[in-house]
Amino acid sequence: MKTKIIIDTDPGVDDALAIVMAFNSPELEVLGLTTVFGNVSVEQAATNALSLVELSGVDVPVYKGEAVPVSRTPAPYADFVHGDDGFGNINWPAPKGKLQDQDAVSFIIEQVRKYPGEVTLIPLGPLTNIARALEQAPDIAEKVKEVVLMGGATYVPGNVTPVAEANIIGDPHAADKVMTAKWPLVMIGLDVTSKVLLTHEAMDRIAGSNTEQCKFLKKASDFYIEFYRQTVGISGCMVHDPSCIAYVLDPSLFKTQSGRLRVVTEGITMGQTTFAPGTRKYAYPGWEDLPMQKVCLEVDGDRLLAMLEKRLTTPLH
Ligand code: RIB
Ligand code: CA
């Protein structure tokens, strides 16, 4: 039986890589794409999600989600990383497809209740939609199969402050609510995603497959790869979001540790994910009665990249 997934996304170039990878994976049934602000506005994210559906020739509904964080003042969009349009400023034509009338949050709630124990939520942006769904329907916590999210940094620096990763600081209050909910959660953060680099050469090989999807991904990733060359001094880009799809397809690619997670919601370390390994008790409050979640700390990068390249270059439609 296929694994039912909902991808919550702020496309975004690495989101696009993840979404195409998911569309090209016969093991997965993508129930829908729900969109959220982050790399771009939620309107642009929704347009980009529609473009990815059209490009891939799949019948997957797209839902517009939350436009702003639950309580912090909105952060600027990451247009310096993904371009103003979220696709590297390639002036991709507007998609013909239309958004669903239903909003993202009610879609998530509806699907998790319709398929209890079967739906894996894969958040690839700020966690606002997921937190709103939990708020409106606390019962989904025991109905979700698993939450596999891209975000956070445990034992490595952040990428937007010395301690904070972009998706988490995008909505730290939502992130703390999601990380402390009583559902099975896997955090795929910078500890692993910053160690998996998709090189220029690999991107050229992928483009060489000459599929519509890969020609698009090559065009859209040039700006993103240039950002990494200029800021991090590498020739390639970090494979953040596709790592979540890879985890759902083959968790053995990762080594995880169990423990409790909290997120700092204000001050100079806002957006920091704090991990308490195991069940150790602490003198200070805030760590009692928290669920044990999984944090990915190691990854077989070569196997992940091989899976990514294979999936991207083998469209199903
Ligand atoms: O920190 C990387 C994450 O933030 C990725 O999901 C990227 O797409 C941005 O959303
Ligand atoms: Ca993303």
Side-chain angles (χ1 to χ4, degrees), residues 96-306:
K96 298 179 186 60
K98 294 286 172 263
L99 287 176
Q100 300 298 307
D101 293 337
Q102 185 179 16
D103 69 280
V105 172
S106 59
F107 171 72
I108 291 168
I109 295 168
E110 171 200 83
Q111 294 297 303
V112 170
R113 285 175 171 166
K114 183 177 177 184
Y115 302 109
E118 291 184 52
V119 179
T120 298
L121 300 180
I122 305 182
L124 305 179
L127 291 160
T128 314
N129 289 340
I130 312 301
R132 288 293 190 212
L134 262 179
E135 203 174 74
Q136 293 172 24
D139 61 291
I140 65 171
E142 70 254 9
K143 296 185 174 83
V144 159
K145 179 178 180 183
E146 195 170 36
V147 178
V148 180
L149 68 88
M150 193 279 139
T154 303
Y155 299 121
V156 297
N159 58 1
V160 291
T161 78
V163 294
E165 178 278 326
N167 288 337
I168 303 302
I169 199 170
D171 194 338
H173 299 83
D176 191 48
K177 189 175 179 64
V178 169
M179 303 280 195
T180 56
K182 293 186 173 17
W183 52 12
L185 180 140
V186 182
M187 185 179 98
I188 300 187
L190 298 177
D191 301 82
V192 292
T193 67
S194 61
K195 293 178 191 135
V196 186
L197 302 183
L198 184 65
T199 62
H200 234 301
E201 296 67 34
M203 206 57 227
D204 288 342
R205 248 194 338 268
I206 288 165
S209 68
N210 228 14
T211 66
E212 289 314 305
Q213 289 172 324
C214 290
K215 286 187 287 189
F216 163 82
L217 290 172
K218 164 74 180 130
K219 272 201 205 105
S221 61
D222 281 349
F223 186 99
Y224 185 60
I225 289 176
E226 179 56 17
F227 163 79
Y228 278 97
R229 190 189 64 76
Q230 280 184 15
T231 55
V232 186
I234 54 174
S235 164
C237 59
M238 294 177 185
V239 177
H240 298 301
D241 292 339
S243 298
C244 290
I245 306 300
Y247 181 92
V248 174
L249 291 169
D250 181 1
S252 76
L253 289 168
F254 298 85
K255 280 201 173 61
T256 63
Q257 190 175 1
S258 291
R260 292 143 293 159
L261 282 164
R262 291 301 307 264
V263 175
V264 177
T265 54
E266 56 267 324
I268 188 72
T269 56
M270 178 175 78
Q272 181 173 19
T273 42
T274 314
F275 178 54
T279 55
R280 176 180 162 181
K281 299 239 181 301
Y282 292 95
Y284 277 61
W287 298 94
E288 55 290 338
D289 188 29
L290 289 178
M292 294 295 278
Q293 309 294 24
K294 281 185 194 161
V295 168
C296 290
L297 294 176
E298 288 178 48
V299 60
D300 183 334
D302 293 341
R303 275 177 60 209
L304 192 154
L305 286 167

Side-chain angles (χ1 to χ4, degrees), residues 24-94:
N24 292 0
S25 296
E27 306 88 332
L28 305 177
E29 179 187 357
V30 185
L31 297 174
L33 299 182
T34 53
T35 55
V36 66
F37 69 91
N39 289 325
V40 291
S41 69
V42 67
E43 289 79 12
Q44 186 65 56
T47 297
N48 291 350
L50 286 169
S51 295
L52 293 168
V53 166
E54 192 167 289
L55 175 78
S56 304
V58 294
D59 182 17
V60 171
V62 175
Y63 301 82
K64 185 165 159 250
E66 297 293 313
V68 292
V70 295
S71 63
R72 66 153 284 180
T73 49
Y77 302 129
D79 48 16
F80 54 99
V81 182
H82 299 266
D84 297 333
D85 63 357
F87 282 161
N89 296 332
I90 57 172
N91 297 317
W92 196 252

